[in-house]
Amino acid sequence: MADSVLEMRHISKAFHGVHALKGVHFEVRRGEVHALMGENGAGKSTLMRILTGLVQPDEGDIVFYGRPLPIDSPQTALRHGIAMIHQELNPIPEMTIAENIFLGREPEYGKTGFVNKPLLFRQTAELLDEFRLKLDPRTKVKQLSVAQKQMLEIVKAVSYNARLLIMDEPTSALSEEEVQTLFHTIEKLKQRGVPIVYISHRLEEIFKIADRVTVLRDGEYISTTRIEALSKDELITMMVGRPLSNIFPKEAAKIGKPILEVENLSRSNVFSDIQFNVRSGEILGIAGLMGAGRSEVMRAIFGIDRFDAGEIRVDGIPAHIRKPADAIRLGIALVTEDRKELGLVLCRSVKENMTLASLNALSNGLFINRLSEIAACSKMTGDITVKMSGLDQTVQSLSGGNQQKVVLAKWLMRKPKVLILDEPTRGIDVGAKAEIYRLMSDLARDGMAIIMISSELPEIMGMSDRILVMGEGRIKGEFMRGQVTQEEILECAIGGAGIV
Amino acid sequence: KPASGGAQGSAAGGSNGKTDNGASGAGDAKKQYKIGVAAQGLSHEFIKALAESMQSKAKELHVNLQIMDSEDKIETQLSQVDSLVSQKVDALILNSVDFVGSGPAVDKAKKAGIPVVEVITFTKNENYDVFVGTDPKQSGVMMGDYLAKALNGKGKVALLQGQIGHSAEITRGAGLKESLFDKYPDVKLVTQQTANWNRDEALRISEDWLQRFPDINAIAAQNDEMAMGALQAVKASGRKDIIVCGIDGIPDALQAVKDGRLGSTILDNVTSEGKRAVEVAVGLIEGKKFNKKRTGRLRPDYEGQCRPVSKKIKQKISSQPII
Amino acid sequence: MYKPSVVSVVKQSVHSMKSKRSSSIVRKYGLVLVLLAAIVFLSLFSDAFLTLDNIMNVLRQVSINGILAVGMTLVILTAGIDLSIGSVMAVAAVIAASIVHVNPGLTIVAVIAGMIAGGLLSSVSGTMTAKLSVAPFIATLAIMTVARGIALIYTNGRPIVIEAPSFLFLGQGSIGPVPFPVIVFAVICALVAILLNKTKFGRYVYAIGGNENATKISGINVAKVKILVYIVNGFLAGLAGVLLASRISSGQPNSGLGYELDAIAAVVIGGTSLFGGVGTITGTIVGVLIIGVINNGLNLLDVSSYYQQIVKGLIIAGAVILDQRSKR
Amino acid sequence: MYKPSVVSVVKQSVHSMKSKRSSSIVRKYGLVLVLLAAIVFLSLFSDAFLTLDNIMNVLRQVSINGILAVGMTLVILTAGIDLSIGSVMAVAAVIAASIVHVNPGLTIVAVIAGMIAGGLLSSVSGTMTAKLSVAPFIATLAIMTVARGIALIYTNGRPIVIEAPSFLFLGQGSIGPVPFPVIVFAVICALVAILLNKTKFGRYVYAIGGNENATKISGINVAKVKILVYIVNGFLAGLAGVLLASRISSGQPNSGLGYELDAIAAVVIGGTSLFGGVGTITGTIVGVLIIGVINNGLNLLDVSSYYQQIVKGLIIAGAVILDQRSKR
Ligand SMILES: Nc1ncnc2c1ncn2[C@@H]1O[C@H](COP(=O)(O)OP(=O)(O)OP(=O)(O)O)[C@@H](O)[C@H]1O
Ligand SMILES: Nc1ncnc2c1ncn2[C@@H]1O[C@H](COP(=O)(O)OP(=O)(O)OP(=O)(O)O)[C@@H](O)[C@H]1O
Ligand SMILES: [Mg+2]
Ligand SMILES: [Mg+2]
């Protein structure tokens, strides 16, 4: 093709026997948004990591702007103008936003090697404005929420003015508002003729912005198609290998008495008089914009953060929760939004991660019962299929989505009374989502009370019996299932005021 | 001179004279001298004994002794002497860590008009007033003499060295070489390793030697700690024919010599030397004169060791005054 | 706190393929290789090496450092470190020595007293680390100096001679051809290996080292586990101190100087990450043996003190580099 | 990789309020407090303490450890560690000594030679760490033994006497009341502080320690930066070794023994995290001074050496605990 920018041919990669990629073809053209789709573990990230020199392919060659491209390290990739938003957020927590964004290309005084800090902060401020982020360039990144960190990655990648921009699940933690901002940027880049590889498990997004779609399945190249030529179901079928009847299998469950009740819970300048309850058999969805403080409320309930005022009741009995252990003892489980920092022990095996919170049940006081441990894990992997070489694979070598599944499994294994899910389907493919929704629906039917924070409105609408909307640390509104539209929820969330 | 020195003494002593005034009675008319001591390392029982003997003498003479532990670090010793000098002590007793390295300390004190007594060990820098002690080399010589007799001028010897480069390692090594290996061509030095003055290291190395050199006749250790380690290895191996000797005369070793397990040790009478050093220091403050090299006496301690260790020698070697 | 580097990501994948057990063998592969190479080499060049006598000799020599290294493995797995064990050994040694010195009959009492002393001292380090979030390096550095001081004061700087035969047996005796310390070492290895691989506690140790916060949020009492780890380490240091005292038949206030370094070295050579979460007892054992065999071998080959140091350094570096390669 | 602990969430809110600079003062606050407290206490209880003479003593005493600690700060910021500096000092010392021993005129040459020797040795550690991904602990442990061996062989285990006045001035001379080593220390602090805070290189040092992976992804040549860090550290260790040789007017093959521990202690007491990414030179300076003042003060108060160890340990622990509190 004349306007072909990138061609990857016969790319294969095996990680010690396991084939992540098998002779994959991938071609990107000038000024197009090319969606790369596939189930969790299909090989999308690996293919892109090869392009950015983080992984060396076993075979295959790469042609970039007509010339063969030997990429041995991220440096060379950047030098050739290939920038990437990585699926796994990778900030340097102790450094400021500005230092993170300009790491490796700090403005200097001449060529002295001395950093021009005023200029550094000015340029950062400009970038942040461009993306409508009200953040101080001098804030340390460790103070940011997951969503904000993700925005940061986007700002950084875009600011390279690359000749090819790769976005690996850039929106997994973002809510409508920021997604819109991102799409504006993408439009601008398209006009400048910058090609973009876009990886996402949010199908709506694909159909909004993609021009062409390439689908991988189990590391194999399936097809490349123009988006217009595809229906949602066709795309899903291509990815999963079979049609997927009902994505939101929400069954009506018998809603019982309140299990978790929260009375005007407050924490200074994070959230104030939060008041809600969730009943057995009920799925309570919580929507909101980035910085709404949803995660924070849940962290407080679970005993990770302190709160200043308010009361929490479990089964009507006032609960004194000072540390996570207390919450867990009361039958509460929290799937945190930040799997890397708070969810997983990356250097340990899938099995050890899944059972970490349940070992008391799986052991006779001291010794772990190996068989019942394996049994418990197999049961979970039966409900949620994790693509792995075995229960002993280290979690850090799993694909992003599969890591998320491990976190879910870890908490589901405890069979809690109250299950709190913060962005439960972050980076999870449609098929797996459906599995998880079915599981939630079943658990609700069996009387579990479920709270689901999500920035993905379809999911909220599709699964919740009741929907709370939060903004600026307050509850802005409450809706019953099927009595509200996405637009109304957004309205309510923004509530006229600006976003934090 | 003594008057002014005394004045200084009381002035400086006043600051933390409390430590000793208690002992000497508050209303004591005699003004109290303050003597600074920089000691090699008080975690060695040998040096600890020295310090205590000095302390007891100081109590007796109602002088305020400030003992500093140089922890075997030359630099530390220099710093400590610096701070003793800036405290204007009336005299300095230096138990030098290093023959060369501790030299500057002497100058520092002398420049400030502070008399310097060196004890046990002396420095290359001869600017000090009096040295109380024995020629360290001589202890090596004596060990050599003993071994020569014990081996009857013929045999294989393994040498356990102290920390390489340490003054005592150098001098004692030299002494042994001179009196044994140079004098007796049939006495062979089959191997040498450093056990850094440690008992357990010496034990480990000796164990290995007994595997590798089953035919050695003697193990010469540059201090008693190492000798005791070697002795242990020999005992464990069930060998009765290997002579072990050390230097310093620590109680452990003296006992072993009496029991006839240890060939010999060289006893340097630190207690008397420590006491003497304090006397001399006070004397210097009060302007008395001493001859520069006041030596103590080394006693090669192996009476009666002839029986178990080696059947040959009967007579004793008389210790000679050194230097 | 484990940081996957670009290469480590690849390394990890090795494991993913294998079952836990065999993977840990792969992990050690390079090292075991080095150890075997060393053994073969030595048996070729020194006929004194591969004798039952000398093998027992080496094992006896490594057993004290081995016991320390096993305890240290626990600490390092939690991303901690313990510099105090050398001094803790000394305290245990002098206390035990003083007991049998006065009453030669009380061997058992002496041993237990020594171990308890160790446990107490280390419990302080553990508490400082776990409850007051003092960096383990500093907490244990403080205890290191304090403990040394205690040992010196307790003995007034004089070694305590030990004559009690029953006590001396601990460090000097043998059961059949096998020296007693070796038996103790073996038992300790077995116990701690079981603790790490088969119990909840072991899981928590790994989890804390891998991601402390994730572990906390999983409802585990991290502080408690950490403190226990330090106490166990203290017990073992105490035991090692007692054995050392028995081996050199005296309780020395300045014994154990610098032992912490050998122990840590053995652990890290054995493939345990100082960032915690990754490592095995088998690895540590190999590390301990490598160091022991090198020391013994260099003496058997009669390499001079000076060159011993150079050779030692090169071999250690070589071993670890080879290990790294084998993990690729 | 920073992990917000349950409490740290609270801590952070403190930081988030402050700008980087002032927050780092908060960070040090507790320590500076301890230092001041110690100084006030000592000047009250010993009139010998707050004399110009003694202050200069203290400064001279700390300057060598100070120079080492500054270099070590760089290494630790990259989540590394360097155990070899003590031996590296020795090599530099004996080389420099041998040069001026033969030709008293060549002071400058001797200094440079010593520093280069240090740089070379450390560049090996650096390369092992950065290119062969050997744990810094092991790489530098290996170099530690090798370097010691080199120093012993080079001198055949005998100290080399130094008489060259111009060389002796480096460690023993003063400019006005200020000892020369103090001036060197001050200059080094200034230079490295600028390097860390004002240059790209400095940013990268922090970045690597904070998240090596992310730094690589940002297209920074991590290996190169790391190796440079170790080389700089080697230069400084060499310089320290030369100063030491001059101070003790001899090149001693076993000088610098155990100096690495003091340096690391100063750095960590100064608030630098052994996991990298967090720390400042000012912190290290405070750490160095605390150690120096304690040592000097305890001697002035004539605390008997055994108790000194206990007191030292307690003060260090206390200082760091207080520091932790002040960070809440
Ligand atoms: N370092 C590694 N070691 C072993 N296996 C690996 C490694 N990296 C990736 N894999 C495997 O390669 C496969 C593809 O992973 P990849 O991350 O590319 O999937 P993905 O398409 O990005 O999935 P997701 O949508 O969940 O991000 C997965 O099965 C994963 O387990
Ligand atoms: N502008 C800001 N500056 C600093 N910190 C912020 C800012 N905005 C948000 N935060 C942090 O993030 C928290 C809430 O953000 P977060 O995105 O986690 O809320 P959320 O409702 O959970 O959104 P998400 O969908 O990302 O979970 C705030 O309490 C605050 O700690
Ligand atoms: Mg992916
Ligand atoms: Mg959130």
Side-chain angles (χ1 to χ4, degrees):
Chain A
M1 285 282 312
D3 59 357
S4 161
V5 168
L6 169 77
E7 267 191 84
M8 301 178 82
R9 300 203 203 90
H10 312 101
I11 304 290
S12 295
K13 176 67 182 176
F15 292 100
H16 306 275
V18 177
H19 288 277
L21 294 171
K22 304 166 201 158
V24 169
H25 294 255
F26 187 57
E27 187 240 11
V28 180
R29 296 175 189 167
R30 180 179 312 280
E32 80 170 336
V33 175
H34 194 132
L36 183 55
M37 303 295 289
E39 290 181 292
N40 296 128
K44 306 182 293 294
S45 298
T46 305
L47 189 65
M48 292 301 109
R49 289 162 64 86
I50 286 171
L51 198 51
T52 50
L54 285 170
V55 175
Q56 299 309 314
D58 301 337
E59 10 170 306
D61 52 334
I62 304 172
V63 178
F64 191 52
Y65 284 95
R67 277 195 268 88
L69 182 69
I71 294 183
D72 48 8
S73 75
Q75 281 152 281
T76 42
L78 282 170
R79 205 162 352 94
H80 287 90
I82 300 174
M84 174 164 176
I85 299 167
H86 289 269
Q87 176 177 19
E88 295 311 324
L89 303 176
N90 245 321
I92 298 165
E94 288 294 332
M95 296 180 102
T96 64
I97 292 178
E99 288 167 328
N100 266 279
I101 290 180
F102 283 94
L103 185 61
R105 53 204 174 105
E106 297 83 355
E108 306 172 46
Y109 293 103
K111 277 257 144 282
T112 53
F114 282 81
V115 179
N116 181 341
K117 286 196 176 157
L119 184 57
L120 173 69
F121 288 123
R122 188 145 21 91
Q123 292 183 348
T124 311
E126 285 161 9
L127 279 172
L128 292 176
D129 289 349
E130 211 174 301
F131 287 82
R132 310 207 221 118
L133 285 171
K134 297 195 177 47
L135 287 172
D136 173 3
R138 289 177 174 74
T139 331
K140 282 194 179 174
V141 167
K142 71 181 179 197
Q143 290 158 36
L144 301 186
S145 69
V146 175
Q148 293 167 320
K149 285 180 190 154
Q150 191 157 40
M151 281 309 283
L152 216 60
E153 296 280 328
I154 294 171
V155 174
K156 181 175 177 180
V158 170
S159 70
Y160 277 100
N161 298 322
R163 295 155 74 202
L164 172 66
L165 186 52
I166 303 161
M167 301 186 173
D168 193 349
E169 298 185 21
T171 57
S172 61
L174 297 186
S175 52
E176 292 306 324
E177 188 75 11
E178 299 77 40
V179 175
Q180 289 318 317
T181 332
L182 175 62
F183 285 178
H184 287 309
T185 320
I186 291 177
E187 279 309 324
K188 273 193 245 140
L189 293 170
K190 271 178 81 166
Q191 274 137 37
R192 281 203 261 122
V194 180
I196 293 167
V197 178
Y198 192 92
I199 300 175
S200 174
H201 291 295
R202 297 185 177 182
L203 296 183
E204 320 73 44
E205 294 180 0
I206 303 303
F207 284 93
K208 261 205 210 103
I209 55 159
D211 301 309
R212 295 196 303 162
V213 187
T214 292
V215 177
L216 302 182
R217 193 191 312 148
D218 294 336
E220 294 191 30
Y221 172 84
I222 301 300
S223 71
T224 303
T225 342
R226 297 205 59 76
I227 192 80
E228 308 87 72
L230 272 181
S231 77
K232 204 167 189 170
D233 293 340
E234 284 168 334
L235 179 54
I236 292 173
T237 317
M238 275 190 203
M239 289 165 57
V240 187
R242 56 184 160 75
L244 205 65
S245 52
N246 174 8
I247 297 183
F248 296 115
K250 175 80 176 91
E251 305 170 13
K254 169 177 151 305
I255 296 190
K257 58 174 179 38
I259 306 257
L260 176 72
E261 294 163 281
V262 177
E263 293 269 355
N264 30 40
L265 203 67
S266 299
R267 178 177 170 193
S268 54
N269 48 28
V270 181
F271 53 80
S272 51
D273 46 44
I274 303 295
Q275 183 139 2
F276 68 87
N277 67 14
V278 55
R279 301 159 169 281
S280 74
E282 182 182 42
I283 297 179
L284 175 67
I286 305 186
L289 301 176
M290 176 182 89
R294 296 167 296 176
S295 302
E296 278 50 38
V297 172
M298 297 310 152
R299 284 168 63 99
I301 292 174
F302 197 64
I304 298 173
D305 302 346
R306 50 159 185 72
F307 54 88
D308 308 331
E311 183 179 66
I312 302 170
R313 286 196 299 278
V314 179
D315 291 329
I317 304 147
H320 301 288
I321 299 174
R322 274 173 197 69
K323 50 184 191 309
D326 302 336
I328 292 173
R329 215 172 294 111
L330 289 164
I332 306 174
L334 169 63
V335 175
T336 53
E337 67 182 325
D338 186 337
R339 59 169 170 256
K340 235 178 164 181
E341 292 295 323
L342 301 178
L344 295 166
V345 183
L346 286 170
C347 61
R348 304 307 302 176
S349 70
V350 171
K351 182 180 73 189
E352 287 179 39
N353 274 279
M354 278 190 177
T355 56
L356 183 57
S358 317
L359 284 180
N360 287 330
L362 297 172
S363 63
N364 61 351
L366 181 63
F367 291 97
I368 297 169
N369 181 334
R370 275 205 134 61
L371 296 180
S372 47
E373 182 180 26
I374 300 203
C377 292
S378 323
K379 183 182 176 315
M380 291 318 305
T381 48
D383 298 342
I384 315 170
T385 32
V386 178
K387 186 172 189 294
M388 58 183 176
S389 56
L391 283 175
D392 289 305
Q393 181 172 3
T394 52
V395 168
Q396 68 199 340
S397 67
L398 288 180
S399 80
N402 286 302
Q403 291 183 358
Q404 183 66 29
K405 293 180 196 169
V406 173
V407 186
L408 275 169
K410 167 175 154 186
W411 288 111
L412 290 177
M413 196 178 279
R414 282 197 63 89
K415 304 228 168 30
K417 275 188 294 192
V418 183
L419 175 63
I420 306 174
L421 304 164
D422 193 348
E423 310 288 357
T425 59
R426 238 185 92 199
I428 288 186
D429 66 52
V430 264
K433 272 182 187 169
E435 284 176 1
I436 289 169
Y437 297 145
R438 156 141 325 280
L439 201 64
M440 287 170 65
S441 156
D442 294 351
L443 291 168
R445 201 190 47 226
D446 304 346
M448 190 183 286
I450 299 176
I451 302 174
M452 176 176 69
I453 295 177
S454 173
S455 304
E456 221 178 322
L457 285 179
E459 176 170 276
I460 292 272
M461 314 272 298
M463 291 305 296
S464 323
D465 297 296
R466 193 152 53 99
I467 301 171
L468 291 179
V469 181
M470 274 190 69
E472 288 127 10
R474 302 175 161 281
I475 293 181
K476 293 272 191 80
E478 174 170 354
F479 307 91
M480 296 312 289
R481 179 178 181 79
Q483 294 174 6
V484 64
T485 65
Q486 295 206 13
E487 290 64 32
E488 287 169 316
I489 291 180
L490 271 176
E491 275 304 307
C492 176
I494 300 166
I499 312 99
V500 179
Chain B
K1 164 81 181 106
S4 73
Q8 282 181 355
S10 55
S15 63
N16 45 13
K18 6 181 158 32
T19 40
D20 273 17
N21 279 342
S24 59
D28 196 331
K30 186 181 189 298
K31 35 181 124 61
Q32 198 183 31
Y33 300 125
K34 181 172 180 185
I35 300 176
V37 181
Q40 268 182 16
L42 293 178
S43 59
H44 311 303
E45 67 175 318
F46 186 66
I47 303 298
K48 174 72 174 170
L50 174 73
E52 282 174 350
S53 64
M54 289 199 242
Q55 201 53 272
S56 66
K57 190 62 170 183
K59 284 252 186 318
E60 189 181 315
L61 303 178
H62 302 311
V63 294
N64 170 6
L65 213 57
Q66 182 170 355
I67 301 177
M68 292 192 173
D69 180 354
S70 302
E71 292 164 353
D72 299 305
K73 288 207 183 109
I74 306 169
E75 191 201 0
T76 310
Q77 181 158 67
L78 295 179
S79 308
Q80 288 170 336
V81 171
D82 285 347
S83 73
L84 286 172
V85 168
S86 58
Q87 289 174 72
K88 304 195 174 50
V89 289
D90 301 300
L92 172 67
I93 300 179
L94 180 66
N95 168 221
S96 59
V97 171
D98 185 76
F99 181 63
V100 180
S102 301
V106 180
D107 294 333
K108 176 96 182 189
K110 293 301 290 181
K111 275 207 200 70
I114 297 171
V116 177
V117 181
E118 300 204 344
V119 63
I120 309 283
T121 54
F122 57 85
T123 55
K124 181 161 177 296
N125 175 347
E126 302 216 329
N127 199 0
Y128 54 84
D129 297 87
V130 179
F131 165 61
V132 179
T134 57
D135 177 0
K137 181 175 165 194
Q138 208 54 33
S139 52
V141 172
M142 290 183 173
M143 177 158 69
D145 295 340
Y146 168 78
L147 276 170
K149 291 277 178 308
L151 294 169
N152 205 8
K154 181 166 175 313
K156 296 198 169 70
V157 179
L159 173 61
L160 283 168
Q161 301 166 286
Q163 184 190 40
I164 307 280
H166 189 288
S167 299
E169 179 268 322
I170 296 170
T171 47
R172 292 175 180 184
L176 184 68
K177 183 169 181 299
E178 177 185 302
S179 68
L180 188 63
F181 302 119
D182 291 356
K183 264 214 207 111
Y184 300 87
D186 293 346
V187 178
K188 294 269 175 292
L189 175 63
V190 287
T191 182
Q192 55 181 348
Q193 293 284 350
T194 177
N196 296 304
W197 308 122
N198 290 333
R199 189 178 293 208
D200 45 340
E201 269 187 71
L203 171 54
R204 188 171 56 72
I205 292 169
S206 307
E207 285 170 340
D208 292 346
W209 278 345
L210 291 169
Q211 302 291 332
R212 171 68 164 73
F213 306 101
D215 56 347
I216 49 174
N217 309 100
I219 297 177
Q222 287 181 346
N223 79 346
D224 282 343
E225 278 299 333
M226 296 192 290
M228 295 310 290
L231 196 58
Q232 190 114 45
V234 173
K235 188 178 120 217
S237 73
R239 298 278 297 268
K240 298 245 175 306
D241 59 331
I242 296 178
I243 306 166
V244 181
C245 355
I247 295 174
D248 283 349
I250 63 172
D252 227 5
L254 291 173
Q255 187 53 46
V257 169
K258 290 203 175 35
D259 310 349
R261 290 175 285 133
L262 188 64
S264 76
T265 181
I266 311 301
L267 177 68
D268 188 352
N269 192 339
V270 282
T271 337
S272 62
E273 284 164 349
K275 290 192 158 78
R276 184 61 193 157
V278 176
E279 287 169 2
V280 173
V282 172
L284 287 169
I285 297 171
E286 289 167 347
K288 297 209 188 69
K289 291 267 161 290
F290 298 87
N291 63 339
K292 182 158 184 148
K293 296 278 169 73
R294 168 178 301 279
T295 67
R297 291 176 80 76
L298 281 170
R299 189 158 54 80
D301 188 325
Y302 50 84
E303 289 90 350
Q305 287 345 293
C306 326
R307 269 169 286 89
V309 181
S310 75
K311 284 142 210 63
K312 296 159 197 76
I313 35 167
K314 274 267 159 282
Q315 88 279 30
K316 283 173 59 177
I317 300 171
S318 64
S319 65
Q320 60 276 56
I322 298 105
I323 309 172
Chain C
M1 213 180 296
Y2 180 88
K3 299 176 181 177
S5 77
V6 172
V7 286
S8 77
V9 177
V10 184
K11 279 187 228 148
Q12 293 302 340
S13 50
V14 177
H15 310 275
S16 56
M17 302 304 91
K18 330 263 164 195
S19 88
K20 193 169 190 312
R21 174 161 290 82
S22 70
S23 93
S24 87
I25 290 173
V26 171
R27 204 180 247 294
K28 298 290 149 295
Y29 186 61
L31 283 176
V32 177
L33 201 91
V34 174
L35 181 57
L36 293 179
I39 291 174
V40 171
F41 176 88
L42 286 169
S43 22
L44 289 180
F45 288 85
S46 158
D47 42 20
F49 180 74
L50 213 57
T51 63
L52 178 66
D53 212 18
N54 187 55
I55 291 169
M56 287 308 156
N57 178 29
V58 174
L59 291 177
R60 194 196 306 110
Q61 290 175 1
V62 300
S63 49
I64 286 179
N65 182 34
I67 292 169
L68 294 171
V70 167
M72 187 64 77
T73 309
L74 287 175
V75 174
I76 292 181
L77 278 176
T78 66
I81 192 141
D82 191 340
L83 302 177
S84 69
I85 53 173
S87 312
V88 169
M89 282 174 80
V91 174
V94 295
I95 287 179
S98 65
I99 291 175
V100 286
H101 185 75
V102 178
N103 183 334
L106 297 180
T107 298
I108 310 298
V109 180
V111 176
I112 292 171
M115 291 180 70
I116 288 178
L120 282 176
L121 283 165
S122 296
S123 68
V124 180
S125 317
T127 315
M128 277 198 274
T129 309
K131 295 261 184 218
L132 306 171
S133 56
V134 176
F137 187 94
I138 289 296
T140 57
L141 183 73
I143 297 301
M144 164 169 137
T145 11
V146 172
R148 184 64 61 189
I150 292 174
L152 286 164
I153 293 167
Y154 185 80
T155 58
N156 187 29
R158 298 294 202 313
I160 301 171
V161 182
I162 301 173
E163 267 127 8
S166 60
F167 187 85
L168 292 181
F169 176 83
L170 300 174
Q172 302 178 22
S174 301
I175 292 179
V178 189
F180 190 71
V182 179
I183 295 169
V184 179
F185 175 37
V187 172
I188 298 290
C189 288
L191 289 180
V192 176
I194 291 170
L195 187 72
L196 270 179
N197 299 324
K198 304 244 179 285
T199 70
K200 279 190 299 180
F201 182 79
R203 284 296 174 76
Y204 296 156
V205 169
Y206 280 110
I208 290 172
N211 183 342
E212 184 165 337
N213 291 311
T215 314
K216 254 191 212 120
I217 287 177
S218 305
I220 286 137
N221 186 339
V222 169
K224 190 173 125 206
V225 175
K226 275 187 172 179
I227 293 176
L228 276 172
V229 163
Y230 279 87
I231 291 178
V232 171
N233 187 42
F235 275 133
L236 293 179
L239 178 60
V242 172
L243 288 176
L244 180 60
S246 163
R247 179 157 152 77
I248 63 178
S249 28
S250 74
Q252 305 222 351
N254 48 22
S255 59
L257 264 177
Y259 275 45
E260 58 278 357
L261 201 59
D262 289 356
I264 299 171
V267 175
V268 182
I269 292 175
T272 299
S273 157
L274 281 166
F275 294 114
V278 188
T280 61
I281 293 295
T282 45
T284 298
I285 296 172
V286 177
V288 170
L289 287 176
I290 287 181
I291 294 179
V293 167
I294 294 174
N295 284 330
N296 171 262
L298 290 175
N299 283 337
L300 294 192
L301 298 178
D302 196 24
V303 180
S304 90
S305 311
Y306 305 168
Y307 288 94
Q308 282 209 9
Q309 310 223 34
I310 292 190
V311 178
K312 239 179 259 178
L314 294 180
I315 294 180
I316 289 177
V320 177
I321 290 172
L322 220 149
D323 185 34
Q324 285 298 342
R325 289 259 160 283
S326 77
K327 284 187 194 167
R328 301 282 164 86
Chain D
M1 206 184 298
Y2 178 91
K3 298 175 180 177
S5 79
V6 175
V7 287
S8 76
V9 178
V10 186
K11 284 189 221 150
Q12 284 169 34
S13 46
V14 178
H15 294 283
S16 54
M17 302 302 97
K18 329 253 167 204
S19 86
K20 192 170 183 306
R21 176 160 285 80
S22 71
S23 90
S24 90
I25 289 173
V26 171
R27 223 174 236 296
K28 297 286 147 300
Y29 185 61
L31 282 176
V32 178
L33 200 92
V34 174
L35 181 57
L36 293 178
I39 291 174
V40 171
F41 175 88
L42 286 169
S43 21
L44 289 179
F45 287 85
S46 157
D47 45 18
F49 179 75
L50 216 55
T51 62
L52 177 65
D53 208 16
N54 187 57
I55 291 170
M56 287 308 156
N57 282 345
V58 176
L59 290 178
R60 193 195 296 105
Q61 290 167 29
V62 300
S63 48
I64 286 180
N65 182 32
I67 293 170
L68 294 171
V70 168
M72 188 63 77
T73 309
L74 287 176
V75 175
I76 293 181
L77 278 176
T78 66
I81 192 143
D82 191 340
L83 302 177
S84 69
I85 54 174
S87 313
V88 169
M89 283 175 79
V91 174
V94 294
I95 288 178
S98 66
I99 291 175
V100 287
H101 184 76
V102 179
N103 182 334
L106 297 181
T107 298
I108 309 297
V109 180
V111 176
I112 292 171
M115 291 179 70
I116 288 179
L120 283 178
L121 283 166
S122 296
S123 69
V124 180
S125 318
T127 314
M128 276 197 276
T129 310
K131 296 262 184 215
L132 307 173
S133 57
V134 176
F137 187 95
I138 290 297
T140 57
L141 182 74
I143 297 299
M144 165 170 144
T145 22
V146 171
R148 184 65 60 189
I150 292 174
L152 285 164
I153 293 167
Y154 185 81
T155 57
N156 187 29
R158 297 288 173 261
I160 299 170
V161 183
I162 300 173
E163 266 127 8
S166 60
F167 187 86
L168 292 180
F169 176 84
L170 300 173
Q172 302 179 23
S174 301
I175 292 178
V178 188
F180 191 72
V182 179
I183 295 170
V184 178
F185 176 38
V187 173
I188 298 292
C189 288
L191 289 180
V192 176
I194 291 172
L195 186 73
L196 268 180
N197 300 323
K198 301 254 175 279
T199 70
K200 293 177 103 168
F201 182 77
R203 293 298 90 203
Y204 300 161
V205 170
Y206 279 103
I208 291 172
N211 182 342
E212 182 164 343
N213 216 4
T215 316
K216 273 208 192 84
I217 290 173
S218 304
I220 289 155
N221 186 338
V222 170
K224 192 174 124 204
V225 176
K226 274 188 173 177
I227 293 175
L228 276 172
V229 164
Y230 279 87
I231 290 177
V232 172
N233 187 42
F235 276 135
L236 293 178
L239 178 60
V242 171
L243 289 175
L244 180 60
S246 162
R247 173 119 167 96
I248 64 179
S249 38
S250 60
Q252 303 258 355
N254 49 28
S255 56
L257 264 177
Y259 276 44
E260 58 279 355
L261 199 59
D262 289 356
I264 299 172
V267 174
V268 181
I269 292 174
T272 299
S273 157
L274 282 167
F275 295 114
V278 193
T280 61
I281 292 296
T282 46
T284 298
I285 296 173
V286 177
V288 170
L289 287 176
I290 287 182
I291 293 179
V293 167
I294 294 174
N295 285 331
N296 173 268
L298 291 177
N299 280 333
L300 291 187
L301 296 180
D302 197 10
V303 178
S304 87
S305 81
Y306 296 170
Y307 286 93
Q308 280 201 16
Q309 310 218 36
I310 292 187
V311 179
K312 239 180 259 179
L314 294 179
I315 293 180
I316 289 177
V320 176
I321 291 172
L322 219 149
D323 186 32
Q324 284 299 340
R325 289 258 160 286
S326 76
K327 284 186 194 166
R328 302 280 164 91

